[in-house]
Amino acid sequence: MEVDKGKGEAEETRKVAEADRDTVTLKSSDGKLFEVSKEAAARLSTVLAGMIAGGSIDDNGTDLKQIGSEALENVVDYCNKHANSIPSAALISSSISFNTAPFKEPEEWERKFVDRLSHDALFDLVEAANFLGMERLLDVTCHKISEMMKGKSPDQIREVFNIKNDYTKEELEEIRQELAWAFYDD
Amino acid sequence: MSIDAIPDAILELILLRIDSHFCLLDASSTCKRWRRLVADTGFLRQFSSLHGPPCSTWFDITFEPSSAAIPCDLFSLSFLQSIHVAPPDWRIRDSRGTLLLLDRDDGTFYDPVPRDMVRYKRVAPPFTSIFAGYDSLTGHLVDGEAGGGIGLSNFRVVCLLRGPAGHYNNSHYDAGVFTASGSNQQQQPWSLYSMGRSKGFEYWYSGGRKHSRVLVLRPHETTKKECRGKVCLGVTTRRDGVDRIVAFSEDGGSMTVFARVHGGGCEWAAEKSIALSLPWSETSFSWAGYAYIDHIDTARAAAALIVVTKVNLRYRVDIETNEVKVERRLEERAHACELPWPPNLRACTQLLNG
């Protein structure tokens, strides 16, 4: 009984210690560890918030098997930058589902944050944001990718994203005719 | 990772954020997967609820000259056909003085033919070979630069050109001029912007920051007038029923009203200048790109309408009383045209959805 009690106390102490810590450690699929502010992680990611609340955060590094180290580094970087920036009114009220609410424009630092990323890194980050339930980061990355199509012809879009044109010539003509009103040179 | 590896659900979020309806349609044409996502009724509904209906397009007034002094259908070319000098597909485009301007359906313009003589010569090769890619909408006979009335050695043909083909804005107009001097001389076409129409006259201008050229077209009239330092012009009518050209000053602080010298000549002179104390003219930015004179509403008497696109406001300036009034909002413009939305995206999606 005494042993058991002692163990319980130890657990209690550990839990308190964990609760006191203000960072969480995340582990990427390739085993790299990253520290991120607990407050920012809980605020920006619904998945991490759930894990923190549910106590399933591992002190030695919470495994995030779906996320590579490069993407996770960007996620952590984003969280840290976010913690340092003054949250705008738009961000505070971001509880509405992004599927129905009009999109909020990315802020200047968020723009810069995604602008420096390569295409591959951007796509990885979009997936990581989706996996971690990071609504705001998903918004910012999707916005960036959609902006890359701005003012481009289908050909140019294919080139930017390296998309294979899987239409036959006849199909393309059919599509053109269907949307004749939308093409300038008709 | 490539975009092909992105799950549909995320790709949908990306496509939803495209902020132009046209761009969405371009994106939907890239490959079958993208098209399938966009063609989905649920997606299109969501896109519409986020972005609203597509922006209305504004159609420019197209060029429709008023009838010639002598309507073209009163002429007959049968005498030409009877002596086998003119093929039957010739049309009379214009008449002025003793000259007729003929052309064929292929856009070739021919030398004006004096009405009492059976004589013609080709002024220009087929239009398309001179201004490649242009459509010729009209040809007008006007007096030559030498003065003293029109004649076989003193005439000009002014053509309104549309294009060039592939120009993104298909309401882009240029003007080209053929002259009598030299067998086949023409000026480089210059870009034209419609200033509006008033009492059968079509007013155009070609703008530069330093010079603007005003072209007033009716079958029997062309005026070119250099207005220095004016970048934005419009035509409007005063209560006296006489047309005026209004122009913004470069700094946006004033508007100059031009009237024809002697009431009806080809020369225009400044009649008055109106100081504008509009909100934007107090700011330091150059407004020239943001404000313009409304081409359509200036047809209403005694007012020039100024539209400030930057703040989405319009002002009506009465050129007689100098009164400035805020107008209704830009979106309510009368000539809006609804685009078909949601678009019909059936091609190449049936099989995939089925």
Side-chain angles (χ1 to χ4, degrees):
Chain A
M1 280 302 275
E2 273 196 31
V3 178
D4 275 349
K5 197 187 169 196
K7 192 182 168 191
E9 269 173 359
E11 192 136 275
E12 199 88 319
T13 325
R14 201 176 65 83
K15 269 193 177 161
V16 169
E18 192 186 287
D20 280 352
R21 277 188 54 188
D22 54 3
T23 60
V24 287
T25 309
L26 306 174
K27 196 170 168 187
S28 68
S29 60
D30 45 346
K32 287 197 183 152
L33 297 177
F34 296 93
E35 287 231 329
V36 64
S37 132
K38 188 182 273 182
E39 186 275 326
R43 181 158 51 87
L44 294 169
S45 157
T46 52
V47 172
L48 290 179
M51 288 169 97
I52 291 165
S56 56
I57 285 287
D58 189 338
D59 248 354
N60 300 321
T62 303
D63 265 333
L64 297 172
K65 289 208 169 61
Q66 287 81 348
I67 305 174
S69 58
E70 199 195 348
L72 192 55
E73 188 178 348
N74 282 325
V75 165
V76 168
D77 200 11
Y78 177 82
C79 290
N80 291 339
K81 284 207 168 90
H82 209 288
N84 295 335
S85 81
I86 305 149
S88 71
L91 277 175
I92 291 164
S93 63
S94 71
S95 57
I96 325 153
S97 160
F98 49 75
N99 283 345
T100 51
F103 306 123
K104 287 144 217 136
E105 282 287 297
E107 299 190 12
E108 189 55 33
W109 71 269
E110 289 175 315
R111 259 179 217 285
K112 282 186 188 150
F113 179 80
V114 288
D115 276 352
R116 66 185 173 83
L117 300 176
S118 70
H119 283 194
D120 285 358
L122 190 59
F123 295 145
D124 285 338
L125 188 57
V126 109
E127 279 233 286
N130 183 53
F131 175 74
L132 291 172
M134 300 177 72
E135 192 178 301
R136 178 66 190 169
L137 182 57
L138 190 61
D139 234 355
V140 171
T141 44
C142 285
H143 179 90
K144 169 68 187 168
I145 298 172
S146 80
E147 267 195 339
M148 286 155 67
M149 303 177 205
K150 223 176 198 170
K152 293 202 166 68
S153 69
D155 265 341
Q156 289 167 322
I157 296 174
R158 282 186 207 112
E159 204 180 308
V160 168
F161 295 113
N162 202 12
I163 297 169
K164 195 178 165 293
N165 182 359
D166 52 3
Y167 290 119
T168 63
K169 223 175 159 188
E170 293 73 36
E171 284 172 332
L172 274 181
E173 188 45 40
E174 203 183 334
I175 287 169
R176 253 191 89 75
Q177 285 184 358
E178 197 173 73
L179 295 176
W181 60 269
F183 291 97
Y184 293 107
D185 49 356
D186 269 22
Chain B
M1 185 192 220
S2 88
I3 201 155
D4 291 335
I6 296 251
D8 279 0
I10 301 179
L11 186 55
E12 240 174 63
L13 291 180
I14 293 167
L15 293 171
L16 270 181
R17 275 164 181 77
I18 292 180
D19 62 359
S20 145
H21 296 70
F22 287 96
C23 188
L24 180 75
L25 294 176
D26 279 336
S28 79
S29 311
T30 53
C31 66
K32 289 181 178 169
R33 178 190 179 210
W34 288 34
R35 188 174 174 81
R36 174 172 52 82
L37 293 176
V38 172
D40 182 79
T41 5
F43 177 91
L44 283 173
R45 200 179 305 124
Q46 211 171 354
F47 189 88
S48 297
S49 75
L50 283 166
H51 301 276
C55 245
S56 304
T57 39
W58 312 109
F59 285 109
D60 284 1
I61 309 169
T62 49
F63 185 85
E64 280 172 39
S66 65
S67 60
I70 301 171
C72 288
D73 55 12
L74 291 184
F75 290 104
S76 167
L77 289 178
S78 56
F79 70 99
L80 288 176
Q81 285 157 26
S82 65
I83 53 171
H84 306 293
V85 291
D89 56 348
W90 283 29
R91 289 178 303 179
I92 297 172
R93 291 294 282 259
D94 197 14
S95 68
R96 181 163 175 80
T98 56
L99 302 183
L100 290 176
L101 178 68
L102 309 175
D103 84 334
R104 297 176 57 182
D105 285 339
D106 64 0
T108 316
F109 283 86
Y110 286 83
D111 198 342
V113 181
R115 288 175 194 167
D116 54 347
M117 282 201 285
V118 184
R119 206 180 100 193
Y120 68 97
K121 77 178 182 211
R122 188 182 258 217
V123 192
F127 212 81
T128 44
S129 67
I130 304 175
F131 300 118
Y134 283 101
D135 283 337
S136 157
L137 300 179
T138 55
H140 295 273
L141 263 179
V142 296
D143 291 357
E145 275 160 335
I150 197 162
L152 260 188
S153 56
N154 186 38
F155 67 87
R156 280 174 295 173
V157 177
V158 180
C159 301
L160 194 66
L161 314 168
R162 182 166 57 200
H167 196 286
Y168 261 42
N169 173 7
N170 61 10
S171 57
H172 177 85
Y173 293 98
D174 289 341
V177 177
F178 304 106
T179 63
S181 53
S183 58
N184 194 5
Q185 217 181 348
Q186 75 277 337
Q187 295 176 3
Q188 280 299 307
W190 66 84
S191 285
L192 284 182
Y193 306 95
S194 173
M195 286 162 63
R197 188 169 17 177
S198 181
K199 294 196 291 293
F201 288 87
E202 186 75 16
Y203 289 75
W204 301 82
Y205 75 100
S206 66
R209 281 192 80 77
K210 292 285 169 235
H211 299 275
S212 294
R213 187 154 39 182
V214 177
L215 183 68
V216 184
L217 282 179
R218 188 161 118 158
H220 291 255
E221 187 150 0
T222 308
T223 302
K224 277 187 279 172
K225 161 87 182 153
E226 306 279 328
C227 306
R228 275 173 196 281
K230 302 296 183 286
V231 290
C232 194
L233 297 161
V235 61
T236 188
T237 312
R238 273 182 57 154
R239 290 192 183 87
D240 58 11
V242 180
D243 289 347
R244 300 292 197 281
I245 289 174
V246 287
F248 281 118
S249 65
E250 193 134 9
D251 61 3
S254 70
M255 202 164 99
T256 310
V257 181
F258 292 88
R260 277 175 207 264
V261 178
H262 309 307
C266 286
E267 287 294 305
W268 294 75
E271 186 182 52
K272 71 190 280 192
S273 185
I274 302 170
L276 299 171
S277 52
L278 301 180
W280 82 86
S281 58
E282 288 158 19
T283 60
S284 56
F285 71 85
S286 168
W287 54 271
Y290 305 111
Y292 60 92
I293 298 171
D294 189 284
H295 293 158
I296 294 160
D297 279 6
T298 41
R300 283 203 241 160
L305 198 61
I306 303 166
V307 178
V308 186
T309 52
K310 192 164 173 72
V311 290
N312 210 14
L313 277 176
R314 357 183 334 137
Y315 299 87
R316 181 176 290 277
V317 181
D318 189 311
I319 59 169
E320 278 174 65
T321 61
N322 302 1
E323 192 187 347
V324 180
K325 265 192 291 193
V326 179
E327 270 281 309
R328 67 184 196 276
R329 289 175 66 80
L330 194 61
E331 302 85 75
E332 294 162 25
R333 205 152 105 157
H335 294 261
C337 162
E338 289 285 308
L339 293 173
W341 199 268
N344 175 22
L345 295 172
R346 273 190 301 222
C348 305
T349 52
Q350 306 283 28
L351 269 178
L352 288 157
N353 285 339

